[in-house]
Amino acid sequence: MSIDKNSAHICIAAALATAAIGFQAWRLLNPPTSKPPNDRSDSIANGVAGLIGNTPLMRINSLSDATGCEILGKAEFLNPGGSSKDRIALYLIEKAEQAGQLTPHTGSCIFEGTSGSTGISLAMVARAKGYLCHIVMPSDQAIEKSQLLERHGATVERVTPCSIVDKNNFVNVARRHAQEFGAEDPSKQGFFVNQFENPLNSEAHYKTTGPEIFRQTKGNIDVFVHGSGTGGTIAGVTHYLKRWVPQVRCFLADPQGSGLANKVNHGVMFADTEREGTRRRQQVDTLVEGVGLNRLTRNFANLLPSSRSSGKKCLLDGAISVSDGDAIKMSRWLMANDGLFIGSSAAINCVAALNIARKLGPGHTIVTILADSGQRHLTKFWNDQAMAALGHSTAAPASLDEFKDLALYNLE
């Protein structure tokens, strides 16, 4: 029996469509990393390091129910050191060991300049692996971070906040200490982590956090949204998801006073506080700790085109700026309605996720990172008296209608 050309074309098209659907189904069921390296579901963890990673992805019920979207938070505060920074602490130290830059139990010391969370993670991993740890941090960070560092056995040095170009900036002080360490005894190594500019930071998240999110959502994810401090998490996860989930859109959640949102949306590093001349803090005029900058780190820059004429697209689909007031309200809302006790950076992520869900409409899956809990923000962000003194309401909102819609580019 003969088959005419039209019938043949239809058969070929149907076969190709079936093959494409089959490939997509195979890809979702067989991601490149189907099981994370630190999976501990059926084994005994090897010390503290074995507890790092493979954190749960939780549904944030109040936000999901209100918007009709699945708003999911990766519970990074359940890492043993209490934040997502455990991942880079372990990864960077192990890479330094492999490169011969660190040898355990030799009196060698790890140095880093940090707003707190990375330092706590480094101090924990250093103690577990047999190193000393020296942390330099700005003096305007919550005091409980210093206290936690000391309890982890780290030497803590609090310095006056100043620009990154100043030799006394906390990052530069840490670098200088690492260079000077061991000058009299070459057997002792001083290692400067350099989280802001070290590309291994984003590589750690590309190899762990991104694959975990892919596995946990089975590739069914429409949006990833996160803030940027060093840029490691947002860069690593975005690069991974854009590779394996081509339709995913990735957005920056940026606190007030940071210039990164304008850099993403308009190509210009600018913050409103620069124009207003009312800045209270040197680096970024916000109550939110750990995210927001007015300079580009090497990790974050990897998301952006090198120039307007380069032809390389920005991997971020847009950015949203979140006020301190909305961050505070969101933290109190989630505690009152979900029993979820989050830190300030997680709060801005959730404000951004709420706004994205409203703009997209029901039926979408939005993933964000709950980087740490409120436990290391008790004297500032979670201190009602301190927030009220700055003019912020600390009462839990009566409804999500109290969160105004925020401008978000490139989300139609």
mmCIF file with all atom_site columns, all heavy atoms in Angstrom, residues 263-283:
data_model
loop_
_atom_site.group_PDB
_atom_site.id
_atom_site.type_symbol
_atom_site.label_atom_id
_atom_site.label_alt_id
_atom_site.label_comp_id
_atom_site.label_asym_id
_atom_site.label_entity_id
_atom_site.label_seq_id
_atom_site.pdbx_PDB_ins_code
_atom_site.Cartn_x
_atom_site.Cartn_y
_atom_site.Cartn_z
_atom_site.occupancy
_atom_site.B_iso_or_equiv
_atom_site.pdbx_formal_charge
_atom_site.auth_seq_id
_atom_site.auth_comp_id
_atom_site.auth_asym_id
_atom_site.auth_atom_id
_atom_site.pdbx_PDB_model_num
ATOM 1   N N   . LYS A 1 263 ? 21.766 48.277 38.266 1.00 0.00 ? 263 LYS A N   1
ATOM 2   C CA  . LYS A 1 263 ? 22.761 47.733 37.344 1.00 0.00 ? 263 LYS A CA  1
ATOM 3   C C   . LYS A 1 263 ? 22.137 46.673 36.454 1.00 0.00 ? 263 LYS A C   1
ATOM 4   O O   . LYS A 1 263 ? 22.388 46.629 35.234 1.00 0.00 ? 263 LYS A O   1
ATOM 5   C CB  . LYS A 1 263 ? 23.941 47.152 38.135 1.00 0.00 ? 263 LYS A CB  1
ATOM 6   C CG  . LYS A 1 263 ? 25.060 46.606 37.269 1.00 0.00 ? 263 LYS A CG  1
ATOM 7   C CD  . LYS A 1 263 ? 25.754 47.706 36.481 1.00 0.00 ? 263 LYS A CD  1
ATOM 8   C CE  . LYS A 1 263 ? 26.954 47.169 35.704 1.00 0.00 ? 263 LYS A CE  1
ATOM 9   N NZ  . LYS A 1 263 ? 27.592 48.231 34.895 1.00 0.00 ? 263 LYS A NZ  1
ATOM 10  N N   . VAL A 1 264 ? 21.315 45.817 37.039 1.00 0.00 ? 264 VAL A N   1
ATOM 11  C CA  . VAL A 1 264 ? 20.653 44.760 36.265 1.00 0.00 ? 264 VAL A CA  1
ATOM 12  C C   . VAL A 1 264 ? 19.599 45.344 35.334 1.00 0.00 ? 264 VAL A C   1
ATOM 13  O O   . VAL A 1 264 ? 19.526 44.995 34.142 1.00 0.00 ? 264 VAL A O   1
ATOM 14  C CB  . VAL A 1 264 ? 20.015 43.718 37.204 1.00 0.00 ? 264 VAL A CB  1
ATOM 15  C CG1 . VAL A 1 264 ? 19.136 42.738 36.428 1.00 0.00 ? 264 VAL A CG1 1
ATOM 16  C CG2 . VAL A 1 264 ? 21.091 42.963 37.968 1.00 0.00 ? 264 VAL A CG2 1
ATOM 17  N N   . ASN A 1 265 ? 18.779 46.245 35.848 1.00 0.00 ? 265 ASN A N   1
ATOM 18  C CA  . ASN A 1 265 ? 17.650 46.763 35.069 1.00 0.00 ? 265 ASN A CA  1
ATOM 19  C C   . ASN A 1 265 ? 18.039 47.813 34.044 1.00 0.00 ? 265 ASN A C   1
ATOM 20  O O   . ASN A 1 265 ? 17.423 47.910 32.978 1.00 0.00 ? 265 ASN A O   1
ATOM 21  C CB  . ASN A 1 265 ? 16.589 47.335 36.005 1.00 0.00 ? 265 ASN A CB  1
ATOM 22  C CG  . ASN A 1 265 ? 15.879 46.272 36.819 1.00 0.00 ? 265 ASN A CG  1
ATOM 23  O OD1 . ASN A 1 265 ? 15.751 45.129 36.379 1.00 0.00 ? 265 ASN A OD1 1
ATOM 24  N ND2 . ASN A 1 265 ? 15.431 46.624 38.011 1.00 0.00 ? 265 ASN A ND2 1
ATOM 25  N N   . HIS A 1 266 ? 19.053 48.635 34.363 1.00 0.00 ? 266 HIS A N   1
ATOM 26  C CA  . HIS A 1 266 ? 19.378 49.778 33.506 1.00 0.00 ? 266 HIS A CA  1
ATOM 27  C C   . HIS A 1 266 ? 20.832 49.841 33.075 1.00 0.00 ? 266 HIS A C   1
ATOM 28  O O   . HIS A 1 266 ? 21.213 50.740 32.321 1.00 0.00 ? 266 HIS A O   1
ATOM 29  C CB  . HIS A 1 266 ? 19.031 51.083 34.231 1.00 0.00 ? 266 HIS A CB  1
ATOM 30  C CG  . HIS A 1 266 ? 17.618 51.140 34.716 1.00 0.00 ? 266 HIS A CG  1
ATOM 31  N ND1 . HIS A 1 266 ? 16.533 51.096 33.864 1.00 0.00 ? 266 HIS A ND1 1
ATOM 32  C CD2 . HIS A 1 266 ? 17.091 51.214 35.976 1.00 0.00 ? 266 HIS A CD2 1
ATOM 33  C CE1 . HIS A 1 266 ? 15.407 51.154 34.567 1.00 0.00 ? 266 HIS A CE1 1
ATOM 34  N NE2 . HIS A 1 266 ? 15.720 51.223 35.848 1.00 0.00 ? 266 HIS A NE2 1
ATOM 35  N N   . GLY A 1 267 ? 21.657 48.929 33.584 1.00 0.00 ? 267 GLY A N   1
ATOM 36  C CA  . GLY A 1 267 ? 23.062 48.934 33.201 1.00 0.00 ? 267 GLY A CA  1
ATOM 37  C C   . GLY A 1 267 ? 23.906 49.967 33.918 1.00 0.00 ? 267 GLY A C   1
ATOM 38  O O   . GLY A 1 267 ? 25.062 50.185 33.561 1.00 0.00 ? 267 GLY A O   1
ATOM 39  N N   . VAL A 1 268 ? 23.352 50.599 34.946 1.00 0.00 ? 268 VAL A N   1
ATOM 40  C CA  . VAL A 1 268 ? 24.064 51.653 35.685 1.00 0.00 ? 268 VAL A CA  1
ATOM 41  C C   . VAL A 1 268 ? 24.029 51.331 37.173 1.00 0.00 ? 268 VAL A C   1
ATOM 42  O O   . VAL A 1 268 ? 22.953 51.062 37.726 1.00 0.00 ? 268 VAL A O   1
ATOM 43  C CB  . VAL A 1 268 ? 23.438 53.042 35.442 1.00 0.00 ? 268 VAL A CB  1
ATOM 44  C CG1 . VAL A 1 268 ? 24.165 54.114 36.253 1.00 0.00 ? 268 VAL A CG1 1
ATOM 45  C CG2 . VAL A 1 268 ? 23.464 53.395 33.962 1.00 0.00 ? 268 VAL A CG2 1
ATOM 46  N N   . MET A 1 269 ? 25.180 51.341 37.814 1.00 0.00 ? 269 MET A N   1
ATOM 47  C CA  . MET A 1 269 ? 25.239 51.117 39.251 1.00 0.00 ? 269 MET A CA  1
ATOM 48  C C   . MET A 1 269 ? 24.821 52.389 39.968 1.00 0.00 ? 269 MET A C   1
ATOM 49  O O   . MET A 1 269 ? 25.521 53.394 39.961 1.00 0.00 ? 269 MET A O   1
ATOM 50  C CB  . MET A 1 269 ? 26.657 50.725 39.669 1.00 0.00 ? 269 MET A CB  1
ATOM 51  C CG  . MET A 1 269 ? 26.798 50.386 41.143 1.00 0.00 ? 269 MET A CG  1
ATOM 52  S SD  . MET A 1 269 ? 26.058 48.798 41.584 1.00 0.00 ? 269 MET A SD  1
ATOM 53  C CE  . MET A 1 269 ? 27.251 47.672 40.887 1.00 0.00 ? 269 MET A CE  1
ATOM 54  N N   . PHE A 1 270 ? 23.633 52.355 40.577 1.00 0.00 ? 270 PHE A N   1
ATOM 55  C CA  . PHE A 1 270 ? 23.112 53.565 41.223 1.00 0.00 ? 270 PHE A CA  1
ATOM 56  C C   . PHE A 1 270 ? 22.097 53.169 42.284 1.00 0.00 ? 270 PHE A C   1
ATOM 57  O O   . PHE A 1 270 ? 21.319 52.239 42.106 1.00 0.00 ? 270 PHE A O   1
ATOM 58  C CB  . PHE A 1 270 ? 22.447 54.477 40.191 1.00 0.00 ? 270 PHE A CB  1
ATOM 59  C CG  . PHE A 1 270 ? 21.829 55.722 40.783 1.00 0.00 ? 270 PHE A CG  1
ATOM 60  C CD1 . PHE A 1 270 ? 22.628 56.780 41.150 1.00 0.00 ? 270 PHE A CD1 1
ATOM 61  C CD2 . PHE A 1 270 ? 20.468 55.805 40.982 1.00 0.00 ? 270 PHE A CD2 1
ATOM 62  C CE1 . PHE A 1 270 ? 22.071 57.925 41.713 1.00 0.00 ? 270 PHE A CE1 1
ATOM 63  C CE2 . PHE A 1 270 ? 19.901 56.938 41.530 1.00 0.00 ? 270 PHE A CE2 1
ATOM 64  C CZ  . PHE A 1 270 ? 20.707 58.001 41.905 1.00 0.00 ? 270 PHE A CZ  1
ATOM 65  N N   . ALA A 1 271 ? 22.112 53.899 43.402 1.00 0.00 ? 271 ALA A N   1
ATOM 66  C CA  . ALA A 1 271 ? 21.117 53.707 44.459 1.00 0.00 ? 271 ALA A CA  1
ATOM 67  C C   . ALA A 1 271 ? 20.492 55.048 44.800 1.00 0.00 ? 271 ALA A C   1
ATOM 68  O O   . ALA A 1 271 ? 21.147 56.091 44.725 1.00 0.00 ? 271 ALA A O   1
ATOM 69  C CB  . ALA A 1 271 ? 21.763 53.103 45.703 1.00 0.00 ? 271 ALA A CB  1
ATOM 70  N N   . ASP A 1 272 ? 19.216 55.043 45.155 1.00 0.00 ? 272 ASP A N   1
ATOM 71  C CA  . ASP A 1 272 ? 18.519 56.287 45.455 1.00 0.00 ? 272 ASP A CA  1
ATOM 72  C C   . ASP A 1 272 ? 19.195 57.087 46.555 1.00 0.00 ? 272 ASP A C   1
ATOM 73  O O   . ASP A 1 272 ? 19.165 58.319 46.544 1.00 0.00 ? 272 ASP A O   1
ATOM 74  C CB  . ASP A 1 272 ? 17.066 55.998 45.869 1.00 0.00 ? 272 ASP A CB  1
ATOM 75  C CG  . ASP A 1 272 ? 16.218 55.586 44.667 1.00 0.00 ? 272 ASP A CG  1
ATOM 76  O OD1 . ASP A 1 272 ? 16.632 55.876 43.534 1.00 0.00 ? 272 ASP A OD1 1
ATOM 77  O OD2 . ASP A 1 272 ? 15.161 54.962 44.882 1.00 0.00 ? 272 ASP A OD2 1
ATOM 78  N N   . THR A 1 273 ? 19.818 56.393 47.499 1.00 0.00 ? 273 THR A N   1
ATOM 79  C CA  . THR A 1 273 ? 20.463 57.114 48.602 1.00 0.00 ? 273 THR A CA  1
ATOM 80  C C   . THR A 1 273 ? 21.616 57.969 48.127 1.00 0.00 ? 273 THR A C   1
ATOM 81  O O   . THR A 1 273 ? 21.980 58.951 48.779 1.00 0.00 ? 273 THR A O   1
ATOM 82  C CB  . THR A 1 273 ? 20.977 56.129 49.664 1.00 0.00 ? 273 THR A CB  1
ATOM 83  O OG1 . THR A 1 273 ? 21.748 55.109 49.011 1.00 0.00 ? 273 THR A OG1 1
ATOM 84  C CG2 . THR A 1 273 ? 19.833 55.481 50.416 1.00 0.00 ? 273 THR A CG2 1
ATOM 85  N N   . GLU A 1 274 ? 22.219 57.623 46.988 1.00 0.00 ? 274 GLU A N   1
ATOM 86  C CA  . GLU A 1 274 ? 23.296 58.441 46.451 1.00 0.00 ? 274 GLU A CA  1
ATOM 87  C C   . GLU A 1 274 ? 22.755 59.825 46.073 1.00 0.00 ? 274 GLU A C   1
ATOM 88  O O   . GLU A 1 274 ? 23.402 60.845 46.254 1.00 0.00 ? 274 GLU A O   1
ATOM 89  C CB  . GLU A 1 274 ? 23.913 57.767 45.220 1.00 0.00 ? 274 GLU A CB  1
ATOM 90  C CG  . GLU A 1 274 ? 24.426 56.355 45.467 1.00 0.00 ? 274 GLU A CG  1
ATOM 91  C CD  . GLU A 1 274 ? 25.702 56.336 46.285 1.00 0.00 ? 274 GLU A CD  1
ATOM 92  O OE1 . GLU A 1 274 ? 26.280 57.404 46.492 1.00 0.00 ? 274 GLU A OE1 1
ATOM 93  O OE2 . GLU A 1 274 ? 26.113 55.243 46.717 1.00 0.00 ? 274 GLU A OE2 1
ATOM 94  N N   . ARG A 1 275 ? 21.543 59.842 45.520 1.00 0.00 ? 275 ARG A N   1
ATOM 95  C CA  . ARG A 1 275 ? 20.946 61.091 45.087 1.00 0.00 ? 275 ARG A CA  1
ATOM 96  C C   . ARG A 1 275 ? 20.418 61.895 46.273 1.00 0.00 ? 275 ARG A C   1
ATOM 97  O O   . ARG A 1 275 ? 20.525 63.116 46.322 1.00 0.00 ? 275 ARG A O   1
ATOM 98  C CB  . ARG A 1 275 ? 19.801 60.805 44.106 1.00 0.00 ? 275 ARG A CB  1
ATOM 99  C CG  . ARG A 1 275 ? 19.045 62.046 43.651 1.00 0.00 ? 275 ARG A CG  1
ATOM 100 C CD  . ARG A 1 275 ? 17.970 61.690 42.638 1.00 0.00 ? 275 ARG A CD  1
ATOM 101 N NE  . ARG A 1 275 ? 17.035 60.714 43.182 1.00 0.00 ? 275 ARG A NE  1
ATOM 102 C CZ  . ARG A 1 275 ? 16.587 59.660 42.498 1.00 0.00 ? 275 ARG A CZ  1
ATOM 103 N NH1 . ARG A 1 275 ? 17.026 59.425 41.289 1.00 0.00 ? 275 ARG A NH1 1
ATOM 104 N NH2 . ARG A 1 275 ? 15.725 58.832 43.038 1.00 0.00 ? 275 ARG A NH2 1
ATOM 105 N N   . GLU A 1 276 ? 19.852 61.189 47.222 1.00 0.00 ? 276 GLU A N   1
ATOM 106 C CA  . GLU A 1 276 ? 19.189 61.880 48.323 1.00 0.00 ? 276 GLU A CA  1
ATOM 107 C C   . GLU A 1 276 ? 20.171 62.469 49.327 1.00 0.00 ? 276 GLU A C   1
ATOM 108 O O   . GLU A 1 276 ? 19.841 63.419 50.038 1.00 0.00 ? 276 GLU A O   1
ATOM 109 C CB  . GLU A 1 276 ? 18.250 60.903 49.043 1.00 0.00 ? 276 GLU A CB  1
ATOM 110 C CG  . GLU A 1 276 ? 17.084 60.454 48.157 1.00 0.00 ? 276 GLU A CG  1
ATOM 111 C CD  . GLU A 1 276 ? 16.325 59.287 48.749 1.00 0.00 ? 276 GLU A CD  1
ATOM 112 O OE1 . GLU A 1 276 ? 16.762 58.793 49.812 1.00 0.00 ? 276 GLU A OE1 1
ATOM 113 O OE2 . GLU A 1 276 ? 15.330 58.858 48.166 1.00 0.00 ? 276 GLU A OE2 1
ATOM 114 N N   . GLY A 1 277 ? 21.358 61.893 49.410 1.00 0.00 ? 277 GLY A N   1
ATOM 115 C CA  . GLY A 1 277 ? 22.353 62.426 50.341 1.00 0.00 ? 277 GLY A CA  1
ATOM 116 C C   . GLY A 1 277 ? 21.991 62.236 51.799 1.00 0.00 ? 277 GLY A C   1
ATOM 117 O O   . GLY A 1 277 ? 22.358 63.032 52.658 1.00 0.00 ? 277 GLY A O   1
ATOM 118 N N   . THR A 1 278 ? 21.253 61.169 52.091 1.00 0.00 ? 278 THR A N   1
ATOM 119 C CA  . THR A 1 278 ? 20.819 60.923 53.483 1.00 0.00 ? 278 THR A CA  1
ATOM 120 C C   . THR A 1 278 ? 21.395 59.625 54.026 1.00 0.00 ? 278 THR A C   1
ATOM 121 O O   . THR A 1 278 ? 20.886 59.082 54.999 1.00 0.00 ? 278 THR A O   1
ATOM 122 C CB  . THR A 1 278 ? 19.281 60.852 53.547 1.00 0.00 ? 278 THR A CB  1
ATOM 123 O OG1 . THR A 1 278 ? 18.831 59.816 52.667 1.00 0.00 ? 278 THR A OG1 1
ATOM 124 C CG2 . THR A 1 278 ? 18.660 62.173 53.139 1.00 0.00 ? 278 THR A CG2 1
ATOM 125 N N   . ARG A 1 279 ? 22.417 59.129 53.400 1.00 0.00 ? 279 ARG A N   1
ATOM 126 C CA  . ARG A 1 279 ? 22.967 57.824 53.773 1.00 0.00 ? 279 ARG A CA  1
ATOM 127 C C   . ARG A 1 279 ? 23.407 57.797 55.235 1.00 0.00 ? 279 ARG A C   1
ATOM 128 O O   . ARG A 1 279 ? 24.067 58.702 55.714 1.00 0.00 ? 279 ARG A O   1
ATOM 129 C CB  . ARG A 1 279 ? 24.156 57.472 52.874 1.00 0.00 ? 279 ARG A CB  1
ATOM 130 C CG  . ARG A 1 279 ? 24.863 56.207 53.300 1.00 0.00 ? 279 ARG A CG  1
ATOM 131 C CD  . ARG A 1 279 ? 25.999 55.869 52.372 1.00 0.00 ? 279 ARG A CD  1
ATOM 132 N NE  . ARG A 1 279 ? 25.468 55.430 51.092 1.00 0.00 ? 279 ARG A NE  1
ATOM 133 C CZ  . ARG A 1 279 ? 26.191 54.694 50.241 1.00 0.00 ? 279 ARG A CZ  1
ATOM 134 N NH1 . ARG A 1 279 ? 27.425 54.346 50.552 1.00 0.00 ? 279 ARG A NH1 1
ATOM 135 N NH2 . ARG A 1 279 ? 25.683 54.312 49.095 1.00 0.00 ? 279 ARG A NH2 1
ATOM 136 N N   . ARG A 1 280 ? 23.053 56.707 55.926 1.00 0.00 ? 280 ARG A N   1
ATOM 137 C CA  . ARG A 1 280 ? 23.442 56.529 57.328 1.00 0.00 ? 280 ARG A CA  1
ATOM 138 C C   . ARG A 1 280 ? 24.596 55.556 57.478 1.00 0.00 ? 280 ARG A C   1
ATOM 139 O O   . ARG A 1 280 ? 25.373 55.651 58.414 1.00 0.00 ? 280 ARG A O   1
ATOM 140 C CB  . ARG A 1 280 ? 22.249 56.019 58.145 1.00 0.00 ? 280 ARG A CB  1
ATOM 141 C CG  . ARG A 1 280 ? 21.093 57.007 58.240 1.00 0.00 ? 280 ARG A CG  1
ATOM 142 C CD  . ARG A 1 280 ? 19.835 56.299 58.716 1.00 0.00 ? 280 ARG A CD  1
ATOM 143 N NE  . ARG A 1 280 ? 19.427 55.278 57.752 1.00 0.00 ? 280 ARG A NE  1
ATOM 144 C CZ  . ARG A 1 280 ? 18.369 54.479 57.930 1.00 0.00 ? 280 ARG A CZ  1
ATOM 145 N NH1 . ARG A 1 280 ? 17.657 54.565 59.021 1.00 0.00 ? 280 ARG A NH1 1
ATOM 146 N NH2 . ARG A 1 280 ? 18.052 53.579 57.017 1.00 0.00 ? 280 ARG A NH2 1
ATOM 147 N N   . ARG A 1 281 ? 24.698 54.608 56.546 1.00 0.00 ? 281 ARG A N   1
ATOM 148 C CA  . ARG A 1 281 ? 25.735 53.589 56.645 1.00 0.00 ? 281 ARG A CA  1
ATOM 149 C C   . ARG A 1 281 ? 26.671 53.712 55.451 1.00 0.00 ? 281 ARG A C   1
ATOM 150 O O   . ARG A 1 281 ? 26.258 54.098 54.361 1.00 0.00 ? 281 ARG A O   1
ATOM 151 C CB  . ARG A 1 281 ? 25.128 52.178 56.673 1.00 0.00 ? 281 ARG A CB  1
ATOM 152 C CG  . ARG A 1 281 ? 24.270 51.928 57.893 1.00 0.00 ? 281 ARG A CG  1
ATOM 153 C CD  . ARG A 1 281 ? 23.733 50.500 57.904 1.00 0.00 ? 281 ARG A CD  1
ATOM 154 N NE  . ARG A 1 281 ? 24.817 49.540 58.053 1.00 0.00 ? 281 ARG A NE  1
ATOM 155 C CZ  . ARG A 1 281 ? 24.961 48.466 57.273 1.00 0.00 ? 281 ARG A CZ  1
ATOM 156 N NH1 . ARG A 1 281 ? 24.141 48.249 56.281 1.00 0.00 ? 281 ARG A NH1 1
ATOM 157 N NH2 . ARG A 1 281 ? 25.956 47.625 57.484 1.00 0.00 ? 281 ARG A NH2 1
ATOM 158 N N   . GLN A 1 282 ? 27.920 53.326 55.684 1.00 0.00 ? 282 GLN A N   1
ATOM 159 C CA  . GLN A 1 282 ? 28.923 53.519 54.643 1.00 0.00 ? 282 GLN A CA  1
ATOM 160 C C   . GLN A 1 282 ? 28.660 52.659 53.407 1.00 0.00 ? 282 GLN A C   1
ATOM 161 O O   . GLN A 1 282 ? 28.716 53.138 52.288 1.00 0.00 ? 282 GLN A O   1
ATOM 162 C CB  . GLN A 1 282 ? 30.316 53.217 55.217 1.00 0.00 ? 282 GLN A CB  1
ATOM 163 C CG  . GLN A 1 282 ? 31.469 53.486 54.260 1.00 0.00 ? 282 GLN A CG  1
ATOM 164 C CD  . GLN A 1 282 ? 31.666 52.394 53.236 1.00 0.00 ? 282 GLN A CD  1
ATOM 165 O OE1 . GLN A 1 282 ? 31.501 51.225 53.531 1.00 0.00 ? 282 GLN A OE1 1
ATOM 166 N NE2 . GLN A 1 282 ? 31.981 52.789 52.010 1.00 0.00 ? 282 GLN A NE2 1
ATOM 167 N N   . GLN A 1 283 ? 28.397 51.375 53.616 1.00 0.00 ? 283 GLN A N   1
ATOM 168 C CA  . GLN A 1 283 ? 28.352 50.477 52.467 1.00 0.00 ? 283 GLN A CA  1
ATOM 169 C C   . GLN A 1 283 ? 27.010 50.546 51.749 1.00 0.00 ? 283 GLN A C   1
ATOM 170 O O   . GLN A 1 283 ? 26.920 51.030 50.625 1.00 0.00 ? 283 GLN A O   1
ATOM 171 C CB  . GLN A 1 283 ? 28.634 49.048 52.928 1.00 0.00 ? 283 GLN A CB  1
ATOM 172 C CG  . GLN A 1 283 ? 28.673 48.045 51.785 1.00 0.00 ? 283 GLN A CG  1
ATOM 173 C CD  . GLN A 1 283 ? 29.178 46.698 52.244 1.00 0.00 ? 283 GLN A CD  1
ATOM 174 O OE1 . GLN A 1 283 ? 30.202 46.602 52.899 1.00 0.00 ? 283 GLN A OE1 1
ATOM 175 N NE2 . GLN A 1 283 ? 28.463 45.645 51.913 1.00 0.00 ? 283 GLN A NE2 1
#
